[in-house]
Amino acid sequence: MRTALLAIPILGGLLTPLLAAQKPNIIYIIADDLGYGDISCYGQKKIQTPHIDKLAAEGIKFTSHYSGSTVCAPSRCSLMTGKDQGHATIRGNGKYELTEKDHTIAHALKNAGYTTGMFGKSCVTGNTQNTEAPFTAGFDEFYGLLSHKDAHRQYPTFVYNNRQKVVLEGNQGKHGGVIYSTDLYTDKAIDFIQRNAEKPFFVLLSYTVPHADIQVPEDTLNPLLKKFPDGKAYKGGHYSKVKNVEATYTGMIQRMDQKIGELVEKVKELGLSENTIISFTSDNGPAMEGGYHADMLDSNGIYRGTKRDMYEGGIRVPYIVKWPAKIKPNSTTDHLCAFWDVLPTLSEIAGVSSPTDIQGISFLPTLLGTTGTQKQHNHLYWEFHEKGGRRALRKGDGKIVHNDVNKGKSKWQLFNIKNDPSEKNNVASSNPEILERMVKAVDQARVKNPAKAWNFRQR
């Protein structure tokens, strides 16, 4: 099966004259539990993210981009495989990982001659320790954590350097240490870029911030304490105790922004800026864990809901793409797209075909400004298998949400996202025909998953 997957051919006819030059390097940066409203250029007032803002100023900012799911593992599965949650291999958190049947972004880019590396929290596993998983998924190098539970610690006690477990001396306390994950993963990604600067490379830089633990080094935290003199404390539990939650959460994001700035500067020093694509996003909405909740710093902006919700705050995420050679600076788009569109987009850029059984649609025309040729989704679909089961579907300006699916007591809600982006007004009762059409679309939007836990009860 692996041999067959890796044999997907490069399509000579797919490369347009515009893209026929040297294939661009690709750096995809994903934060963990970062809200739509956590970034300055998306409206955040108290957290400063000048380096991420600069990416937006020099590239394109998406305002209607959605994550794969509302929690980590299934969201990243949709990203990597181009499949929505009605078809993805992984549809929930737990001891799951991609299989040899899953054709990933890394496979696609390897087929196109890229060297591939993943740094940080694994995007191909859930809570497993299978050291072969990154390589089965198409990566040449991996440095980071396989189990998502291990990634709850900003000062991890160990990491995997490819297949080797490496103990991090100085990080052996319960919830602290000297080696901060954001710094470590950025440095390893930069080292990979330096070693592969002479040929096309793909970097997946997967940070563990601002997911709890809510922790940041003192040199970042201390200057922020005066700004948040009344920041609430957290007594601790599964996550580390925090003396000033707001200052620490702010510091986590600003530290990440600082390190992204260092990475971008290194790309510039190497003379690679013009033909390197740098993307930034988050895997889902902001979490309500470790002492933090979204309304402390307005992390979800105007949007209702947070992580684990099917409302906009749980699944709408920031997405920025910089590509100086092709993208017009300071662009903004409201093109409706999601994580499962990234694989076909990057595949088209690299000149390789995408699998035919995915739901993703390339948004390369949107990146290039040729929007007249941009194909549109008929709908976007999500499902979530905790909290009684939750489902959502967006079709044009309409969106339906169903909570507590398995209990069978709640009803579908219908929102007009264009007129009511905060999802305050359920208009289901006044639009029965529209609701009925969208519910029928939901019934056709999924296939049965082998995992029993990921199949809803019949309505």
Side-chain angles (χ1 to χ4, degrees):
M1 180 63 70
R2 286 293 317 288
T3 302
L5 286 174
L6 294 176
I8 294 178
I10 295 177
L11 299 182
L14 188 61
L15 279 174
T16 66
L18 185 63
L19 301 175
Q22 181 181 357
K23 294 176 182 178
N25 305 306
I26 299 170
I27 301 172
Y28 188 93
I29 305 169
I30 181 169
D32 196 351
D33 292 358
L34 180 89
Y36 184 93
D38 274 331
I39 301 300
S40 301
C41 63
Y42 281 87
Q44 175 57 232
K45 302 301 183 185
K46 296 182 178 180
I47 304 171
Q48 302 302 311
T49 54
H51 299 290
I52 297 172
D53 296 350
K54 188 176 181 182
L55 291 178
E58 295 177 347
I60 186 169
K61 181 176 75 171
F62 286 71
T63 59
S64 297
H65 188 71
Y66 289 89
S67 61
S69 181
T70 189
V71 292
C72 302
S75 187
R76 293 159 190 264
C77 176
S78 285
L79 169 69
M80 294 303 298
T81 64
K83 295 184 178 182
D84 68 19
Q85 282 298 293
H87 300 81
T89 299
I90 300 173
R91 303 189 195 181
N93 282 335
K95 295 183 178 180
Y96 307 103
E97 57 193 44
L98 298 185
T99 71
E100 291 186 349
K101 296 181 180 180
D102 287 307
H103 177 75
T104 71
I105 292 173
H107 286 138
L109 295 179
K110 276 179 67 69
N111 290 340
Y114 283 70
T115 303
T116 60
M118 177 167 56
F119 305 91
K121 179 175 178 176
S122 169
C123 290
V124 300
T125 56
N127 294 323
T128 69
Q129 301 285 9
N130 180 5
T131 56
E132 289 301 316
F135 307 100
T136 302
F139 286 97
D140 295 310
E141 292 189 26
F142 172 67
Y143 189 97
L145 294 168
L146 294 166
S147 171
H148 287 192
K149 286 187 177 180
D150 293 330
H152 290 182
R153 307 305 175 204
Q154 303 305 336
Y155 293 93
T157 59
F158 69 91
V159 293
Y160 287 98
N161 183 4
N162 292 321
R163 297 171 177 84
Q164 181 181 1
K165 187 175 182 179
V166 178
V167 174
L168 297 179
E169 300 295 340
N171 280 13
Q172 299 311 301
K174 183 179 180 181
H175 298 303
V178 296
I179 303 173
Y180 193 60
S181 64
T182 300
D183 300 358
L184 178 63
Y185 301 146
T186 307
D187 292 346
K188 293 299 181 180
I190 288 174
D191 175 67
F192 176 87
I193 290 169
Q194 290 176 310
R195 288 187 284 108
N196 293 281
E198 300 300 321
K199 51 189 175 182
F201 59 77
F202 170 54
V203 169
L204 177 53
L205 177 52
S206 178
Y207 288 120
T208 58
V209 294
H211 192 299
D213 279 347
I214 307 298
Q215 290 183 318
V216 74
E218 289 186 359
D219 60 339
T220 295
L221 174 62
N222 289 339
L224 294 168
L225 293 176
K226 292 182 179 179
K227 186 175 181 180
F228 300 97
D230 300 319
K232 297 177 177 64
Y234 172 62
K235 294 181 180 179
H238 171 72
Y239 296 109
S240 298
K241 63 181 180 180
V242 189
K243 292 181 179 179
N244 189 314
V245 173
E246 293 178 12
T248 309
Y249 185 87
T250 297
M252 294 169 79
I253 295 173
Q254 293 191 177
R255 184 84 171 202
M256 174 182 66
D257 180 77
Q258 173 191 336
K259 300 306 290 187
I260 289 173
E262 293 177 12
L263 182 147
V264 172
E265 183 61 27
K266 179 56 66 174
V267 171
K268 181 179 178 181
E269 289 177 9
L270 294 170
L272 303 175
S273 292
E274 187 70 10
N275 202 36
T276 296
I277 300 171
I278 302 178
S279 301
F280 175 81
T281 192
S282 173
D283 63 351
N284 47 249
M288 308 283 274
E289 299 166 344
Y292 185 75
H293 52 84
D295 57 0
M296 282 181 169
L297 296 170
D298 204 23
S299 287
N300 46 4
I302 66 170
Y303 298 112
R304 176 181 179 180
T306 57
K307 179 180 180 179
R308 296 187 176 84
D309 287 324
M310 286 297 176
Y311 300 113
E312 295 291 284
I315 54 177
R316 190 186 290 225
V317 292
Y319 185 48
I320 295 166
V321 185
K322 174 190 173 183
W323 186 10
K326 306 298 180 186
I327 294 176
K328 182 180 178 181
N330 204 29
S331 302
T332 302
T333 178
D334 63 355
H335 173 60
L336 195 60
C337 54
F339 269 22
W340 46 92
D341 296 324
V342 175
L343 183 150
T345 302
L346 296 184
S347 296
E348 185 174 4
I349 288 170
V352 292
S353 62
S354 297
T356 58
D357 63 342
I358 64 174
Q359 291 68 57
I361 296 174
S362 170
F363 51 78
L364 180 59
T366 296
L367 296 180
L368 300 179
T370 57
T371 54
T373 62
Q374 178 63 63
K375 294 182 179 179
Q376 304 293 329
H377 281 282
N378 178 267
H379 65 262
L380 299 176
Y381 171 77
W382 301 266
E383 60 184 49
F384 180 54
H385 295 271
E386 299 173 24
K387 304 288 184 179
R390 298 175 175 181
R391 306 176 80 176
L393 180 139
R394 179 163 176 184
K395 185 177 177 68
D397 294 334
K399 180 183 172 188
I400 55 174
V401 176
H402 192 193
N403 298 315
D404 299 320
V405 176
N406 291 328
K407 294 181 181 179
K409 295 181 180 180
S410 62
K411 297 181 179 180
W412 283 101
Q413 298 172 296
L414 172 64
F415 304 98
N416 184 311
I417 297 300
K418 181 178 181 179
N419 297 334
D420 178 29
S422 302
E423 295 168 296
K424 294 179 179 179
N425 302 307
N426 176 15
V427 296
S429 61
S430 57
N431 295 275
E433 294 181 357
I434 295 176
L435 180 66
E436 183 179 3
R437 288 198 299 268
M438 294 185 71
V439 171
K440 286 183 179 178
V442 166
D443 290 338
Q444 300 171 359
R446 76 183 311 272
V447 295
K448 188 175 181 180
N449 191 286
K452 185 177 180 181
W454 297 337
N455 290 293
F456 296 108
R457 298 176 186 173
Q458 294 296 317
R459 291 189 294 111

